[in-house]
mmCIF file with all atom_site columns, all heavy atoms in Angstrom:
data_model
loop_
_atom_site.group_PDB
_atom_site.id
_atom_site.type_symbol
_atom_site.label_atom_id
_atom_site.label_alt_id
_atom_site.label_comp_id
_atom_site.label_asym_id
_atom_site.label_entity_id
_atom_site.label_seq_id
_atom_site.pdbx_PDB_ins_code
_atom_site.Cartn_x
_atom_site.Cartn_y
_atom_site.Cartn_z
_atom_site.occupancy
_atom_site.B_iso_or_equiv
_atom_site.pdbx_formal_charge
_atom_site.auth_seq_id
_atom_site.auth_comp_id
_atom_site.auth_asym_id
_atom_site.auth_atom_id
_atom_site.pdbx_PDB_model_num
ATOM 1   N N   . ILE A 1 1  ? 74.538 100.422 84.704  1.00 87.00 ? 1  ILE A N   1
ATOM 2   C CA  . ILE A 1 1  ? 75.815 100.248 84.130  1.00 87.00 ? 1  ILE A CA  1
ATOM 3   C C   . ILE A 1 1  ? 75.720 99.400  82.808  1.00 87.00 ? 1  ILE A C   1
ATOM 4   O O   . ILE A 1 1  ? 75.233 98.230  82.882  1.00 87.00 ? 1  ILE A O   1
ATOM 5   C CB  . ILE A 1 1  ? 76.803 99.535  85.095  1.00 87.00 ? 1  ILE A CB  1
ATOM 6   C CG1 . ILE A 1 1  ? 76.801 100.244 86.464  1.00 87.00 ? 1  ILE A CG1 1
ATOM 7   C CG2 . ILE A 1 1  ? 78.198 99.458  84.540  1.00 87.00 ? 1  ILE A CG2 1
ATOM 8   C CD1 . ILE A 1 1  ? 77.227 101.650 86.445  1.00 87.00 ? 1  ILE A CD1 1
ATOM 9   N N   . GLN A 1 2  ? 76.109 100.018 81.670  1.00 87.00 ? 2  GLN A N   1
ATOM 10  C CA  . GLN A 1 2  ? 75.927 99.335  80.401  1.00 87.00 ? 2  GLN A CA  1
ATOM 11  C C   . GLN A 1 2  ? 77.228 99.027  79.673  1.00 87.00 ? 2  GLN A C   1
ATOM 12  O O   . GLN A 1 2  ? 77.182 98.556  78.548  1.00 87.00 ? 2  GLN A O   1
ATOM 13  C CB  . GLN A 1 2  ? 75.055 100.244 79.489  1.00 87.00 ? 2  GLN A CB  1
ATOM 14  C CG  . GLN A 1 2  ? 73.637 100.545 80.090  1.00 87.00 ? 2  GLN A CG  1
ATOM 15  C CD  . GLN A 1 2  ? 72.864 101.498 79.188  1.00 87.00 ? 2  GLN A CD  1
ATOM 16  O OE1 . GLN A 1 2  ? 73.178 101.613 78.016  1.00 87.00 ? 2  GLN A OE1 1
ATOM 17  N NE2 . GLN A 1 2  ? 71.810 102.123 79.761  1.00 87.00 ? 2  GLN A NE2 1
ATOM 18  N N   . THR A 1 3  ? 78.379 99.252  80.310  1.00 86.00 ? 3  THR A N   1
ATOM 19  C CA  . THR A 1 3  ? 79.597 99.044  79.639  1.00 86.00 ? 3  THR A CA  1
ATOM 20  C C   . THR A 1 3  ? 80.743 98.785  80.654  1.00 86.00 ? 3  THR A C   1
ATOM 21  O O   . THR A 1 3  ? 80.525 99.013  81.841  1.00 86.00 ? 3  THR A O   1
ATOM 22  C CB  . THR A 1 3  ? 80.011 100.211 78.693  1.00 86.00 ? 3  THR A CB  1
ATOM 23  O OG1 . THR A 1 3  ? 81.175 99.889  77.995  1.00 86.00 ? 3  THR A OG1 1
ATOM 24  C CG2 . THR A 1 3  ? 80.197 101.459 79.498  1.00 86.00 ? 3  THR A CG2 1
ATOM 25  N N   . LYS A 1 4  ? 81.886 98.391  80.174  1.00 85.00 ? 4  LYS A N   1
ATOM 26  C CA  . LYS A 1 4  ? 83.065 98.250  81.034  1.00 85.00 ? 4  LYS A CA  1
ATOM 27  C C   . LYS A 1 4  ? 83.984 99.468  80.874  1.00 85.00 ? 4  LYS A C   1
ATOM 28  O O   . LYS A 1 4  ? 83.794 100.330 80.020  1.00 85.00 ? 4  LYS A O   1
ATOM 29  C CB  . LYS A 1 4  ? 83.889 97.008  80.575  1.00 85.00 ? 4  LYS A CB  1
ATOM 30  C CG  . LYS A 1 4  ? 83.113 95.695  80.864  1.00 85.00 ? 4  LYS A CG  1
ATOM 31  C CD  . LYS A 1 4  ? 84.033 94.511  80.478  1.00 85.00 ? 4  LYS A CD  1
ATOM 32  C CE  . LYS A 1 4  ? 83.306 93.191  80.775  1.00 85.00 ? 4  LYS A CE  1
ATOM 33  N NZ  . LYS A 1 4  ? 84.172 92.008  80.398  1.00 85.00 ? 4  LYS A NZ  1
ATOM 34  N N   . LEU A 1 5  ? 84.979 99.533  81.760  1.00 83.00 ? 5  LEU A N   1
ATOM 35  C CA  . LEU A 1 5  ? 85.928 100.659 81.720  1.00 83.00 ? 5  LEU A CA  1
ATOM 36  C C   . LEU A 1 5  ? 87.321 100.102 81.755  1.00 83.00 ? 5  LEU A C   1
ATOM 37  O O   . LEU A 1 5  ? 87.646 99.040  82.380  1.00 83.00 ? 5  LEU A O   1
ATOM 38  C CB  . LEU A 1 5  ? 85.759 101.495 83.003  1.00 83.00 ? 5  LEU A CB  1
ATOM 39  C CG  . LEU A 1 5  ? 84.634 102.548 83.008  1.00 83.00 ? 5  LEU A CG  1
ATOM 40  C CD1 . LEU A 1 5  ? 84.569 103.215 84.352  1.00 83.00 ? 5  LEU A CD1 1
ATOM 41  C CD2 . LEU A 1 5  ? 84.817 103.536 81.907  1.00 83.00 ? 5  LEU A CD2 1
ATOM 42  N N   . LYS A 1 6  ? 88.262 100.817 81.045  1.00 82.00 ? 6  LYS A N   1
ATOM 43  C CA  . LYS A 1 6  ? 89.652 100.505 81.163  1.00 82.00 ? 6  LYS A CA  1
ATOM 44  C C   . LYS A 1 6  ? 90.136 100.795 82.593  1.00 82.00 ? 6  LYS A C   1
ATOM 45  O O   . LYS A 1 6  ? 89.610 101.642 83.288  1.00 82.00 ? 6  LYS A O   1
ATOM 46  C CB  . LYS A 1 6  ? 90.465 101.257 80.149  1.00 82.00 ? 6  LYS A CB  1
ATOM 47  C CG  . LYS A 1 6  ? 90.170 100.884 78.727  1.00 82.00 ? 6  LYS A CG  1
ATOM 48  C CD  . LYS A 1 6  ? 91.022 101.767 77.766  1.00 82.00 ? 6  LYS A CD  1
ATOM 49  C CE  . LYS A 1 6  ? 90.786 101.369 76.314  1.00 82.00 ? 6  LYS A CE  1
ATOM 50  N NZ  . LYS A 1 6  ? 91.589 102.194 75.348  1.00 82.00 ? 6  LYS A NZ  1
ATOM 51  N N   . MET A 1 7  ? 91.239 100.089 82.990  1.00 76.00 ? 7  MET A N   1
ATOM 52  C CA  . MET A 1 7  ? 91.697 100.268 84.346  1.00 76.00 ? 7  MET A CA  1
ATOM 53  C C   . MET A 1 7  ? 92.059 101.735 84.660  1.00 76.00 ? 7  MET A C   1
ATOM 54  O O   . MET A 1 7  ? 91.690 102.239 85.692  1.00 76.00 ? 7  MET A O   1
ATOM 55  C CB  . MET A 1 7  ? 92.954 99.382  84.572  1.00 76.00 ? 7  MET A CB  1
ATOM 56  C CG  . MET A 1 7  ? 93.485 99.403  85.984  1.00 76.00 ? 7  MET A CG  1
ATOM 57  S SD  . MET A 1 7  ? 95.130 98.787  86.153  1.00 76.00 ? 7  MET A SD  1
ATOM 58  C CE  . MET A 1 7  ? 96.036 100.082 85.387  1.00 76.00 ? 7  MET A CE  1
ATOM 59  N N   . GLU A 1 8  ? 92.763 102.408 83.777  1.00 78.00 ? 8  GLU A N   1
ATOM 60  C CA  . GLU A 1 8  ? 93.205 103.784 84.058  1.00 78.00 ? 8  GLU A CA  1
ATOM 61  C C   . GLU A 1 8  ? 92.041 104.693 84.223  1.00 78.00 ? 8  GLU A C   1
ATOM 62  O O   . GLU A 1 8  ? 91.989 105.550 85.132  1.00 78.00 ? 8  GLU A O   1
ATOM 63  C CB  . GLU A 1 8  ? 94.089 104.272 82.880  1.00 78.00 ? 8  GLU A CB  1
ATOM 64  C CG  . GLU A 1 8  ? 94.577 105.697 83.128  1.00 78.00 ? 8  GLU A CG  1
ATOM 65  C CD  . GLU A 1 8  ? 95.446 106.191 81.964  1.00 78.00 ? 8  GLU A CD  1
ATOM 66  O OE1 . GLU A 1 8  ? 95.534 105.503 80.983  1.00 78.00 ? 8  GLU A OE1 1
ATOM 67  O OE2 . GLU A 1 8  ? 96.038 107.277 82.131  1.00 78.00 ? 8  GLU A OE2 1
ATOM 68  N N   . GLN A 1 9  ? 90.970 104.476 83.366  1.00 83.00 ? 9  GLN A N   1
ATOM 69  C CA  . GLN A 1 9  ? 89.812 105.318 83.427  1.00 83.00 ? 9  GLN A CA  1
ATOM 70  C C   . GLN A 1 9  ? 88.954 105.004 84.672  1.00 83.00 ? 9  GLN A C   1
ATOM 71  O O   . GLN A 1 9  ? 88.268 105.861 85.233  1.00 83.00 ? 9  GLN A O   1
ATOM 72  C CB  . GLN A 1 9  ? 89.012 105.237 82.140  1.00 83.00 ? 9  GLN A CB  1
ATOM 73  C CG  . GLN A 1 9  ? 89.715 105.734 80.975  1.00 83.00 ? 9  GLN A CG  1
ATOM 74  C CD  . GLN A 1 9  ? 89.000 105.487 79.659  1.00 83.00 ? 9  GLN A CD  1
ATOM 75  O OE1 . GLN A 1 9  ? 87.942 104.813 79.611  1.00 83.00 ? 9  GLN A OE1 1
ATOM 76  N NE2 . GLN A 1 9  ? 89.511 106.034 78.535  1.00 83.00 ? 9  GLN A NE2 1
ATOM 77  N N   . ALA A 1 10 ? 88.997 103.713 85.085  1.00 82.00 ? 10 ALA A N   1
ATOM 78  C CA  . ALA A 1 10 ? 88.217 103.303 86.225  1.00 82.00 ? 10 ALA A CA  1
ATOM 79  C C   . ALA A 1 10 ? 88.588 103.949 87.528  1.00 82.00 ? 10 ALA A C   1
ATOM 80  O O   . ALA A 1 10 ? 87.745 104.364 88.330  1.00 82.00 ? 10 ALA A O   1
ATOM 81  C CB  . ALA A 1 10 ? 88.277 101.784 86.375  1.00 82.00 ? 10 ALA A CB  1
ATOM 82  N N   . ILE A 1 11 ? 89.908 104.188 87.737  1.00 79.00 ? 11 ILE A N   1
ATOM 83  C CA  . ILE A 1 11 ? 90.334 104.785 89.019  1.00 79.00 ? 11 ILE A CA  1
ATOM 84  C C   . ILE A 1 11 ? 89.899 106.239 89.074  1.00 79.00 ? 11 ILE A C   1
ATOM 85  O O   . ILE A 1 11 ? 89.495 106.720 90.099  1.00 79.00 ? 11 ILE A O   1
ATOM 86  C CB  . ILE A 1 11 ? 91.861 104.627 89.194  1.00 79.00 ? 11 ILE A CB  1
ATOM 87  C CG1 . ILE A 1 11 ? 92.248 105.057 90.613  1.00 79.00 ? 11 ILE A CG1 1
ATOM 88  C CG2 . ILE A 1 11 ? 92.653 105.459 88.185  1.00 79.00 ? 11 ILE A CG2 1
ATOM 89  C CD1 . ILE A 1 11 ? 93.626 104.689 90.988  1.00 79.00 ? 11 ILE A CD1 1
ATOM 90  N N   . TYR A 1 12 ? 89.954 106.931 87.904  1.00 81.00 ? 12 TYR A N   1
ATOM 91  C CA  . TYR A 1 12 ? 89.522 108.327 87.906  1.00 81.00 ? 12 TYR A CA  1
ATOM 92  C C   . TYR A 1 12 ? 87.994 108.409 88.153  1.00 81.00 ? 12 TYR A C   1
ATOM 93  O O   . TYR A 1 12 ? 87.516 109.242 88.914  1.00 81.00 ? 12 TYR A O   1
ATOM 94  C CB  . TYR A 1 12 ? 89.864 108.977 86.587  1.00 81.00 ? 12 TYR A CB  1
ATOM 95  C CG  . TYR A 1 12 ? 91.366 108.978 86.308  1.00 81.00 ? 12 TYR A CG  1
ATOM 96  C CD1 . TYR A 1 12 ? 91.843 108.668 85.051  1.00 81.00 ? 12 TYR A CD1 1
ATOM 97  C CD2 . TYR A 1 12 ? 92.294 109.223 87.292  1.00 81.00 ? 12 TYR A CD2 1
ATOM 98  C CE1 . TYR A 1 12 ? 93.229 108.663 84.766  1.00 81.00 ? 12 TYR A CE1 1
ATOM 99  C CE2 . TYR A 1 12 ? 93.615 109.189 87.053  1.00 81.00 ? 12 TYR A CE2 1
ATOM 100 C CZ  . TYR A 1 12 ? 94.086 108.940 85.788  1.00 81.00 ? 12 TYR A CZ  1
ATOM 101 O OH  . TYR A 1 12 ? 95.406 108.903 85.486  1.00 81.00 ? 12 TYR A OH  1
ATOM 102 N N   . CYS A 1 13 ? 87.210 107.492 87.498  1.00 85.00 ? 13 CYS A N   1
ATOM 103 C CA  . CYS A 1 13 ? 85.748 107.497 87.673  1.00 85.00 ? 13 CYS A CA  1
ATOM 104 C C   . CYS A 1 13 ? 85.419 107.150 89.149  1.00 85.00 ? 13 CYS A C   1
ATOM 105 O O   . CYS A 1 13 ? 84.472 107.697 89.718  1.00 85.00 ? 13 CYS A O   1
ATOM 106 C CB  . CYS A 1 13 ? 85.106 106.492 86.740  1.00 85.00 ? 13 CYS A CB  1
ATOM 107 S SG  . CYS A 1 13 ? 85.153 106.988 84.970  1.00 85.00 ? 13 CYS A SG  1
ATOM 108 N N   . GLY A 1 14 ? 86.174 106.185 89.721  1.00 82.00 ? 14 GLY A N   1
ATOM 109 C CA  . GLY A 1 14 ? 85.937 105.853 91.105  1.00 82.00 ? 14 GLY A CA  1
ATOM 110 C C   . GLY A 1 14 ? 86.137 107.020 92.058  1.00 82.00 ? 14 GLY A C   1
ATOM 111 O O   . GLY A 1 14 ? 85.315 107.254 92.957  1.00 82.00 ? 14 GLY A O   1
ATOM 112 N N   . LEU A 1 15 ? 87.210 107.806 91.839  1.00 82.00 ? 15 LEU A N   1
ATOM 113 C CA  . LEU A 1 15 ? 87.468 108.993 92.661  1.00 82.00 ? 15 LEU A CA  1
ATOM 114 C C   . LEU A 1 15 ? 86.354 110.010 92.480  1.00 82.00 ? 15 LEU A C   1
ATOM 115 O O   . LEU A 1 15 ? 85.947 110.691 93.437  1.00 82.00 ? 15 LEU A O   1
ATOM 116 C CB  . LEU A 1 15 ? 88.817 109.574 92.372  1.00 82.00 ? 15 LEU A CB  1
ATOM 117 C CG  . LEU A 1 15 ? 90.026 108.769 92.879  1.00 82.00 ? 15 LEU A CG  1
ATOM 118 C CD1 . LEU A 1 15 ? 91.312 109.308 92.227  1.00 82.00 ? 15 LEU A CD1 1
ATOM 119 C CD2 . LEU A 1 15 ? 90.116 108.797 94.386  1.00 82.00 ? 15 LEU A CD2 1
ATOM 120 N N   . ILE A 1 16 ? 85.900 110.168 91.176  1.00 87.00 ? 16 ILE A N   1
ATOM 121 C CA  . ILE A 1 16 ? 84.857 111.160 90.913  1.00 87.00 ? 16 ILE A CA  1
ATOM 122 C C   . ILE A 1 16 ? 83.565 110.786 91.626  1.00 87.00 ? 16 ILE A C   1
ATOM 123 O O   . ILE A 1 16 ? 82.953 111.588 92.317  1.00 87.00 ? 16 ILE A O   1
ATOM 124 C CB  . ILE A 1 16 ? 84.621 111.266 89.371  1.00 87.00 ? 16 ILE A CB  1
ATOM 125 C CG1 . ILE A 1 16 ? 85.839 111.968 88.720  1.00 87.00 ? 16 ILE A CG1 1
ATOM 126 C CG2 . ILE A 1 16 ? 83.326 111.981 89.061  1.00 87.00 ? 16 ILE A CG2 1
ATOM 127 C CD1 . ILE A 1 16 ? 85.776 111.948 87.233  1.00 87.00 ? 16 ILE A CD1 1
ATOM 128 N N   . ILE A 1 17 ? 83.167 109.509 91.556  1.00 85.00 ? 17 ILE A N   1
ATOM 129 C CA  . ILE A 1 17 ? 81.947 109.057 92.172  1.00 85.00 ? 17 ILE A CA  1
ATOM 130 C C   . ILE A 1 17 ? 82.051 109.159 93.700  1.00 85.00 ? 17 ILE A C   1
ATOM 131 O O   . ILE A 1 17 ? 81.071 109.560 94.369  1.00 85.00 ? 17 ILE A O   1
ATOM 132 C CB  . ILE A 1 17 ? 81.647 107.598 91.702  1.00 85.00 ? 17 ILE A CB  1
ATOM 133 C CG1 . ILE A 1 17 ? 81.166 107.566 90.264  1.00 85.00 ? 17 ILE A CG1 1
ATOM 134 C CG2 . ILE A 1 17 ? 80.572 106.943 92.618  1.00 85.00 ? 17 ILE A CG2 1
ATOM 135 C CD1 . ILE A 1 17 ? 80.901 106.204 89.701  1.00 85.00 ? 17 ILE A CD1 1
ATOM 136 N N   . ASN A 1 18 ? 83.195 108.823 94.226  1.00 84.00 ? 18 ASN A N   1
ATOM 137 C CA  . ASN A 1 18 ? 83.377 108.927 95.685  1.00 84.00 ? 18 ASN A CA  1
ATOM 138 C C   . ASN A 1 18 ? 83.121 110.379 96.165  1.00 84.00 ? 18 ASN A C   1
ATOM 139 O O   . ASN A 1 18 ? 82.446 110.624 97.150  1.00 84.00 ? 18 ASN A O   1
ATOM 140 C CB  . ASN A 1 18 ? 84.786 108.492 96.030  1.00 84.00 ? 18 ASN A CB  1
ATOM 141 C CG  . ASN A 1 18 ? 85.048 108.604 97.537  1.00 84.00 ? 18 ASN A CG  1
ATOM 142 O OD1 . ASN A 1 18 ? 84.620 107.836 98.299  1.00 84.00 ? 18 ASN A OD1 1
ATOM 143 N ND2 . ASN A 1 18 ? 85.843 109.696 97.913  1.00 84.00 ? 18 ASN A ND2 1
ATOM 144 N N   . GLU A 1 19 ? 83.724 111.357 95.417  1.00 84.00 ? 19 GLU A N   1
ATOM 145 C CA  . GLU A 1 19 ? 83.592 112.756 95.795  1.00 84.00 ? 19 GLU A CA  1
ATOM 146 C C   . GLU A 1 19 ? 82.097 113.226 95.683  1.00 84.00 ? 19 GLU A C   1
ATOM 147 O O   . GLU A 1 19 ? 81.590 113.889 96.624  1.00 84.00 ? 19 GLU A O   1
ATOM 148 C CB  . GLU A 1 19 ? 84.498 113.637 94.948  1.00 84.00 ? 19 GLU A CB  1
ATOM 149 C CG  . GLU A 1 19 ? 85.979 113.389 95.143  1.00 84.00 ? 19 GLU A CG  1
ATOM 150 C CD  . GLU A 1 19 ? 86.438 113.660 96.540  1.00 84.00 ? 19 GLU A CD  1
ATOM 151 O OE1 . GLU A 1 19 ? 85.862 114.620 97.163  1.00 84.00 ? 19 GLU A OE1 1
ATOM 152 O OE2 . GLU A 1 19 ? 87.337 113.016 97.037  1.00 84.00 ? 19 GLU A OE2 1
ATOM 153 N N   . LEU A 1 20 ? 81.478 112.902 94.514  1.00 86.00 ? 20 LEU A N   1
ATOM 154 C CA  . LEU A 1 20 ? 80.125 113.420 94.302  1.00 86.00 ? 20 LEU A CA  1
ATOM 155 C C   . LEU A 1 20 ? 79.074 112.773 95.189  1.00 86.00 ? 20 LEU A C   1
ATOM 156 O O   . LEU A 1 20 ? 78.197 113.457 95.744  1.00 86.00 ? 20 LEU A O   1
ATOM 157 C CB  . LEU A 1 20 ? 79.766 113.282 92.817  1.00 86.00 ? 20 LEU A CB  1
ATOM 158 C CG  . LEU A 1 20 ? 80.641 114.016 91.831  1.00 86.00 ? 20 LEU A CG  1
ATOM 159 C CD1 . LEU A 1 20 ? 80.242 113.726 90.392  1.00 86.00 ? 20 LEU A CD1 1
ATOM 160 C CD2 . LEU A 1 20 ? 80.548 115.517 92.087  1.00 86.00 ? 20 LEU A CD2 1
ATOM 161 N N   . VAL A 1 21 ? 79.175 111.469 95.380  1.00 86.00 ? 21 VAL A N   1
ATOM 162 C CA  . VAL A 1 21 ? 78.213 110.810 96.267  1.00 86.00 ? 21 VAL A CA  1
ATOM 163 C C   . VAL A 1 21 ? 78.404 111.249 97.721  1.00 86.00 ? 21 VAL A C   1
ATOM 164 O O   . VAL A 1 21 ? 77.441 111.455 98.427  1.00 86.00 ? 21 VAL A O   1
ATOM 165 C CB  . VAL A 1 21 ? 78.360 109.232 96.152  1.00 86.00 ? 21 VAL A CB  1
ATOM 166 C CG1 . VAL A 1 21 ? 77.532 108.568 97.211  1.00 86.00 ? 21 VAL A CG1 1
ATOM 167 C CG2 . VAL A 1 21 ? 77.932 108.805 94.743  1.00 86.00 ? 21 VAL A CG2 1
ATOM 168 N N   . THR A 1 22 ? 79.635 111.425 98.131  1.00 84.00 ? 22 THR A N   1
ATOM 169 C CA  . THR A 1 22 ? 79.886 111.971 99.460  1.00 84.00 ? 22 THR A CA  1
ATOM 170 C C   . THR A 1 22 ? 79.268 113.339 99.643  1.00 84.00 ? 22 THR A C   1
ATOM 171 O O   . THR A 1 22 ? 78.677 113.638 100.698 1.00 84.00 ? 22 THR A O   1
ATOM 172 C CB  . THR A 1 22 ? 81.436 112.039 99.729  1.00 84.00 ? 22 THR A CB  1
ATOM 173 O OG1 . THR A 1 22 ? 81.983 110.711 99.619  1.00 84.00 ? 22 THR A OG1 1
ATOM 174 C CG2 . THR A 1 22 ? 81.730 112.639 101.112 1.00 84.00 ? 22 THR A CG2 1
ATOM 175 N N   . ASN A 1 23 ? 79.424 114.221 98.594  1.00 84.00 ? 23 ASN A N   1
ATOM 176 C CA  . ASN A 1 23 ? 78.795 115.558 98.669  1.00 84.00 ? 23 ASN A CA  1
ATOM 177 C C   . ASN A 1 23 ? 77.290 115.417 98.802  1.00 84.00 ? 23 ASN A C   1
ATOM 178 O O   . ASN A 1 23 ? 76.656 116.190 99.544  1.00 84.00 ? 23 ASN A O   1
ATOM 179 C CB  . ASN A 1 23 ? 79.152 116.395 97.426  1.00 84.00 ? 23 ASN A CB  1
ATOM 180 C CG  . ASN A 1 23 ? 80.526 116.982 97.544  1.00 84.00 ? 23 ASN A CG  1
ATOM 181 O OD1 . ASN A 1 23 ? 81.120 116.957 98.623  1.00 84.00 ? 23 ASN A OD1 1
ATOM 182 N ND2 . ASN A 1 23 ? 81.027 117.517 96.457  1.00 84.00 ? 23 ASN A ND2 1
ATOM 183 N N   . SER A 1 24 ? 76.685 114.488 98.047  1.00 84.00 ? 24 SER A N   1
ATOM 184 C CA  . SER A 1 24 ? 75.207 114.291 98.142  1.00 84.00 ? 24 SER A CA  1
ATOM 185 C C   . SER A 1 24 ? 74.799 113.859 99.535  1.00 84.00 ? 24 SER A C   1
ATOM 186 O O   . SER A 1 24 ? 73.835 114.378 100.042 1.00 84.00 ? 24 SER A O   1
ATOM 187 C CB  . SER A 1 24 ? 74.769 113.248 97.071  1.00 84.00 ? 24 SER A CB  1
ATOM 188 O OG  . SER A 1 24 ? 74.962 113.740 95.757  1.00 84.00 ? 24 SER A OG  1
ATOM 189 N N   . PHE A 1 25 ? 75.537 112.914 100.115 1.00 84.00 ? 25 PHE A N   1
ATOM 190 C CA  . PHE A 1 25 ? 75.207 112.479 101.440 1.00 84.00 ? 25 PHE A CA  1
ATOM 191 C C   . PHE A 1 25 ? 75.298 113.600 102.443 1.00 84.00 ? 25 PHE A C   1
ATOM 192 O O   . PHE A 1 25 ? 74.515 113.708 103.401 1.00 84.00 ? 25 PHE A O   1
ATOM 193 C CB  . PHE A 1 25 ? 76.134 111.334 101.855 1.00 84.00 ? 25 PHE A CB  1
ATOM 194 C CG  . PHE A 1 25 ? 75.608 109.962 101.496 1.00 84.00 ? 25 PHE A CG  1
ATOM 195 C CD1 . PHE A 1 25 ? 75.730 109.459 100.184 1.00 84.00 ? 25 PHE A CD1 1
ATOM 196 C CD2 . PHE A 1 25 ? 74.986 109.165 102.435 1.00 84.00 ? 25 PHE A CD2 1
ATOM 197 C CE1 . PHE A 1 25 ? 75.236 108.212 99.880  1.00 84.00 ? 25 PHE A CE1 1
ATOM 198 C CE2 . PHE A 1 25 ? 74.504 107.904 102.119 1.00 84.00 ? 25 PHE A CE2 1
ATOM 199 C CZ  . PHE A 1 25 ? 74.649 107.419 100.809 1.00 84.00 ? 25 PHE A CZ  1
ATOM 200 N N   . LYS A 1 26 ? 76.335 114.442 102.258 1.00 82.00 ? 26 LYS A N   1
ATOM 201 C CA  . LYS A 1 26 ? 76.562 115.549 103.224 1.00 82.00 ? 26 LYS A CA  1
ATOM 202 C C   . LYS A 1 26 ? 75.510 116.675 103.105 1.00 82.00 ? 26 LYS A C   1
ATOM 203 O O   . LYS A 1 26 ? 75.020 117.209 104.102 1.00 82.00 ? 26 LYS A O   1
ATOM 204 C CB  . LYS A 1 26 ? 77.980 116.094 103.006 1.00 82.00 ? 26 LYS A CB  1
ATOM 205 C CG  . LYS A 1 26 ? 79.098 115.290 103.562 1.00 82.00 ? 26 LYS A CG  1
ATOM 206 C CD  . LYS A 1 26 ? 80.444 115.981 103.354 1.00 82.00 ? 26 LYS A CD  1
ATOM 207 C CE  . LYS A 1 26 ? 81.577 115.220 103.955 1.00 82.00 ? 26 LYS A CE  1
ATOM 208 N NZ  . LYS A 1 26 ? 82.852 115.900 103.706 1.00 82.00 ? 26 LYS A NZ  1
ATOM 209 N N   . TYR A 1 27 ? 75.265 117.073 101.854 1.00 82.00 ? 27 TYR A N   1
ATOM 210 C CA  . TYR A 1 27 ? 74.568 118.355 101.667 1.00 82.00 ? 27 TYR A CA  1
ATOM 211 C C   . TYR A 1 27 ? 73.207 118.295 100.936 1.00 82.00 ? 27 TYR A C   1
ATOM 212 O O   . TYR A 1 27 ? 72.441 119.227 101.024 1.00 82.00 ? 27 TYR A O   1
ATOM 213 C CB  . TYR A 1 27 ? 75.465 119.337 100.869 1.00 82.00 ? 27 TYR A CB  1
ATOM 214 C CG  . TYR A 1 27 ? 76.871 119.458 101.442 1.00 82.00 ? 27 TYR A CG  1
ATOM 215 C CD1 . TYR A 1 27 ? 77.984 119.031 100.677 1.00 82.00 ? 27 TYR A CD1 1
ATOM 216 C CD2 . TYR A 1 27 ? 77.094 119.956 102.678 1.00 82.00 ? 27 TYR A CD2 1
ATOM 217 C CE1 . TYR A 1 27 ? 79.278 119.149 101.204 1.00 82.00 ? 27 TYR A CE1 1
ATOM 218 C CE2 . TYR A 1 27 ? 78.375 120.070 103.202 1.00 82.00 ? 27 TYR A CE2 1
ATOM 219 C CZ  . TYR A 1 27 ? 79.455 119.654 102.474 1.00 82.00 ? 27 TYR A CZ  1
ATOM 220 O OH  . TYR A 1 27 ? 80.729 119.749 102.895 1.00 82.00 ? 27 TYR A OH  1
ATOM 221 N N   . ALA A 1 28 ? 72.932 117.232 100.218 1.00 83.00 ? 28 ALA A N   1
ATOM 222 C CA  . ALA A 1 28 ? 71.779 117.242 99.295  1.00 83.00 ? 28 ALA A CA  1
ATOM 223 C C   . ALA A 1 28 ? 70.441 117.007 100.004 1.00 83.00 ? 28 ALA A C   1
ATOM 224 O O   . ALA A 1 28 ? 69.417 117.513 99.577  1.00 83.00 ? 28 ALA A O   1
ATOM 225 C CB  . ALA A 1 28 ? 71.979 116.191 98.184  1.00 83.00 ? 28 ALA A CB  1
ATOM 226 N N   . PHE A 1 29 ? 70.425 116.239 101.078 1.00 84.00 ? 29 PHE A N   1
ATOM 227 C CA  . PHE A 1 29 ? 69.209 115.773 101.628 1.00 84.00 ? 29 PHE A CA  1
ATOM 228 C C   . PHE A 1 29 ? 69.066 116.319 103.072 1.00 84.00 ? 29 PHE A C   1
ATOM 229 O O   . PHE A 1 29 ? 69.758 115.872 104.002 1.00 84.00 ? 29 PHE A O   1
ATOM 230 C CB  . PHE A 1 29 ? 69.067 114.269 101.679 1.00 84.00 ? 29 PHE A CB  1
ATOM 231 C CG  . PHE A 1 29 ? 69.361 113.670 100.297 1.00 84.00 ? 29 PHE A CG  1
ATOM 232 C CD1 . PHE A 1 29 ? 70.548 113.004 100.006 1.00 84.00 ? 29 PHE A CD1 1
ATOM 233 C CD2 . PHE A 1 29 ? 68.435 113.785 99.264  1.00 84.00 ? 29 PHE A CD2 1
ATOM 234 C CE1 . PHE A 1 29 ? 70.832 112.462 98.788  1.00 84.00 ? 29 PHE A CE1 1
ATOM 235 C CE2 . PHE A 1 29 ? 68.694 113.215 97.995  1.00 84.00 ? 29 PHE A CE2 1
ATOM 236 C CZ  . PHE A 1 29 ? 69.883 112.563 97.766  1.00 84.00 ? 29 PHE A CZ  1
#
């Protein structure tokens, strides 16, 4: 992590990371 995020953008990034990491845990390995 090399920078900060604005509040509005942080919630969208959080939801994106939650979905993608969950997919990795479920299906990638």
Side-chain angles (χ1 to χ4, degrees):
I1 309 300
Q2 301 178 18
T3 183
K4 294 182 177 181
L5 280 176
K6 293 180 180 179
M7 184 195 72
E8 180 180 9
Q9 296 173 354
I11 190 168
Y12 301 138
C13 290
L15 287 168
I16 289 171
I17 287 176
N18 178 76
E19 295 298 327
L20 295 178
V21 171
T22 298
N23 279 350
S24 294
F25 271 79
K26 284 182 177 179
Y27 310 114
F29 308 106

